[in-house]
Every structure is written in C-alpha cells, then in structure tokens.
Amino acid sequence: MQQPLYITNSLTRTKELFEPVNPPYVGLYVCGPTVSGESHLGHARPYVTFDVIYRYLQFIGYKVRYVRNITDAGHFEEEGREAEDKVNEKAKLERLEPMELVQKYTNIYHDMMDALNCLRPAIEPTATGHIVEQIDMIQDIIKKGFAYEVNGSVYFDVTKYAQGNDYGKLSGRILEDMIAGSRDLDGQDEKRNAADFALWKKAPEQHIMRWNSPWGEGFPGWHIECSAMASKYLGSPFDIHGGGMDLMFPHHESEIAQTKIATGCSPVKYWMHNNMITINGRKMGKSYNNTITLREMFYGGNDVLERSYAPATVRFFILQTHYRSTLDFSNDALQAAEKGLQRLLNAYDTIAKLNASPASSVSIEKIESDCYVAINDDFNTAIVVAQLFEAARIINSAHAGTEQLSAADITRVKKLFDDFLFQIMGIKQVQQDNSADLNGIMDLVLEIRATAKSKKDFETADKIRNTLTTLGITIKDTKDGAEWSK
RNA sequence: GGUCGCGUGGCCGAGUGGUUAGGCAGAGGUCUGCAAAACCUUGUACAGCAGUUCAAAUCUGCUCGCGACCUCCA
C-alpha cells in the first residue's frame, strides 16, 4: 500500500515522485471560485478532482493543510460596467449590498460542494479578508524593484523579471511572442510593457469595491490574492498548487513571478491542472449559451441536458475520466455513469448477502493492489473504477454461485469498496434504513407474498411487489427466496 | 497568427512498443409464474498516408479534423 505516489507536474510536464517539502505535512492550495455568479458545472471538475487528491493524501497518512480561496474582490475590471449595473440594479430591487451578493453565491457554492460530497478545506480565505497581506506583498515587490506605480495603479515588471527568471515556463510561453501578439486593453498605456500585469488597480469612480492603499483607493490585481494567501498559510515553497488548466496563463504564471520576487523562491513544488469539461463536445460558456449551474444539474431546470442528475452521478462521472483529459457531458454519457454507479452500489449491498466458501476462486488481493497502482499513478481514478467493476462482477458471481469467496476475501472486498469508492473517491454511501421495525415488517410482508406465490396467487404477489416499488422498495426474487432493498 | 493538446468499436472513456481495459447500449443464452437483477457468450476499435522496428493504437514525419490557451474564466 505504501507505494510511491507519482504526480504529473505541469511545470515539468512529467510524472514525478511525490516527496513533500516537510513530511508528513503537505500543503495543498487550490484556486477557488470567483463568487460574482452562481456555481456552474465547470466548478465541479477541479473541486471533485482535488477533493480526491486531498482524501487520498490523508488516506496514506499525510497531514494535509488544504487551502482553497474565495475570490470576492477585484476581478471586476474587465466586466466593469456590466458588473456595476447588475449590482446596482439588484441592490435596488432586492436591497442587496454587494457583499450580500457575494455571500449569497458563496452559500450556494458551499451547498453545491456539500452535495458533491467534497470535504471542506482546512482554510478558506477570502480575498477581501486579506487586503492587508496583498498590499504588504505589493510593497515588498516594489521595494525589490520589480513593480512600479502609475496613476494609482501598480504593475509587475515582467520584462525585468524575465531577465533572471524563466517567465512562461509553466504555460510554455515565450515572452517576445506574447508581447508581439498582445491586444490593446484598458490600462495598456500605463504599462511599461504589454506583458506587465496589474498588482493593484486604481478604482474608477463607479467601482463599489475599493480599499485604501499607499497608492490611493483601489482594489487588488488579478493574481496577487493567491500568492499572498498561499504563502501566508502554506509558506514558500509549498507542495501542491492546483486549479483548472485555463488558469495556467496568466494566473499561475503571474503567481510564480510575484511570489518568487517576494519570497525568493519558486512557490510551488508540484503544479497540478485539471482539464476542462465540455457539453455535447463544446466548451461550456456564455457565448455558446450552454452554461449549466450546479443547481440546475442536480435539481433540474436547464435547457441543455434533458433531465437532472444526482450529485453522486456527476461526481462518479467525473472520476471515470482521468483528471488531465477533457470530459464531455452528454445525456448518454451521464445515464451510462448513473447505471454504472448503481451497479457498483448494488454489488456493495450484495456483499452482506454472500456466503463464505472455504477458499476463493479469484484474487481480491490482485484487484486491491491494482487499485493502489492506479491511484498512485497520478490519481488514475478511471482505472480504479474499472477495477471496482471487476470486483463487482466477482461479488455478483459469488452471489450467483459461479465464483467463490472466502470469509477473509469477503471482508477484504468490502474494505476495498469502503476505502476506494467511499473514502477516497468520496461517493456518498447511501444510508440504509435497516431499523429493526422495518426489517420485521418486511420479513412479514415477504412471507405473505411467498405464501401467495406458493398458492399461485400471483395477483396478490404482484400487488405487494408493485406497491412496494412505488414506496421505493425493490423486490427481487432469487432462487433462495425474495430479497428487498430500499 | 503564436503556443499546447487531442482524434480509440453505436456512445462515454483507459491504455502508450508485443498480453482482455472498463462502463453504457446492442445480440444470443441461463435463471424465472411474470418482472427486475445477476451470471455466461458475443464487438473487422485505435483519423488518414508514409516510415522506424522482428513487432505500433502506442515511436517519427506529413496530411486532415477537433479543441484549449493567448482576454475574466474551473
């Protein structure tokens, strides 16, 4: 079980042996959502992915500090006008403060993460709660000569940084190409160089979120919050920084540059990036008009997919793919995942009904070891799932009598599901209502039905079965008598 | 335009030099009063072309197609 763990490091584009900076402690930072809107399907991918990573690191004994931020400030510059109008309008209609909106979307996000059974991070810092830390870091960077102030805004001097550091290493970019291909954006004339990025932005008149700073009223730049909060809570360097692939540039590239100047070292040992999701083959986005919020996904109301899907189905679907591959959501694929997960859960329930044989006809140990090999190989949950399906086949075969399992292997296969499906992959175990009352009632009902069947009174037998079905209780007739499940 | 990645059987999706991925759907069978579940059997799969090799889905080159990033984005 204690095999070496390999992680694909985006920085080197290779699989590397995972060796924490300060074992047994592991620092894990994941870029959280911008809570200026409702959580959507795109958010499910990184947070499920890194939830499994968090769970597994703990499972193999590491003491993990998981930090996942909430971006609730800044970042409104590009949307500027639209965001302002929206906020003002809603504030009038609903008497909402801007921070109230942020709180509302944060609450929804938390609810959706709970529904997906993502463990809550150890620390969930907000950008607005760390303005001081960000200003401190910016001042430090200015003092070291890698940032300059213009008209109340502060920019990071990428050109100067690139002279002694390989800016662009993470995202595979060449500075000269970027400068040549850059567009004219707001504030471009203030920058010494097109590739420079803002550490602090002067707040325009209508901008609601604003803070005092040494450079006047403004708000923090696009990337500084993660640098400030990650180094505050995890130090520098720390172990793993995760996020979506779309954040590699410019967000993470800029984080590296800022932190390297501020702390003197490259901030992260292992950069991990999950790939994007698509819907019916297209990237999800407003311009495609195919955005699905998580609430719509779970409870219905979207126009893109034909129906809603349970959080566990979405989670399982995500884990059926390796996190570095794109994942396409479609009705067919989700329904296949839904049935597949049900098959696994049914098999798990069947374990309790197995009769032990003197010896096993198959090796559970082999499946178990294959699961560890897979999860240790850059968290390949797709292969773990395949192994669990093999285990399910064995359980069902043992139940049908075509395979045999010893008492020890029955225990072992149950542990395999407990560990991998529930604990590591975080599929929520359905709470069975196995109260003594219900068991007694069901025993009686099934006995009456068996009597009816023996008298060829199928009308009564079917009525019992059909009525129970409408109550959510499934009856299955086996050669050893009827079984029920809720 | 620049950078990076992908193209696997009806659908989704692992794999990366020689050995069955797996799930869903389909077909046949077993069980069964029926149903459901389950079990057994069943698939010319690796975009195209050329090359390297004893051997390529897996390496190399070219072609075609798709996508991501380059601008807030998970």
Side-chain angles (χ1 to χ4, degrees), chain A residues 7-16 166-174 245 248-249 253 269-271 273 324 378:
Chain A
I7 292 178
T8 298
N9 190 345
S10 302
L11 197 60
T12 59
R13 287 145 219 266
T14 54
K15 275 183 199 169
E16 298 176 5
D166 44 3
Y167 187 79
K169 185 185 179 188
L170 178 66
S171 53
R173 251 151 256 263
I174 297 160
M245 272 183 182
M248 281 173 84
F249 188 88
E253 200 72 68
K269 194 168 179 189
Y270 305 93
W271 282 94
H273 292 95
R324 291 183 69 85
D378 198 23

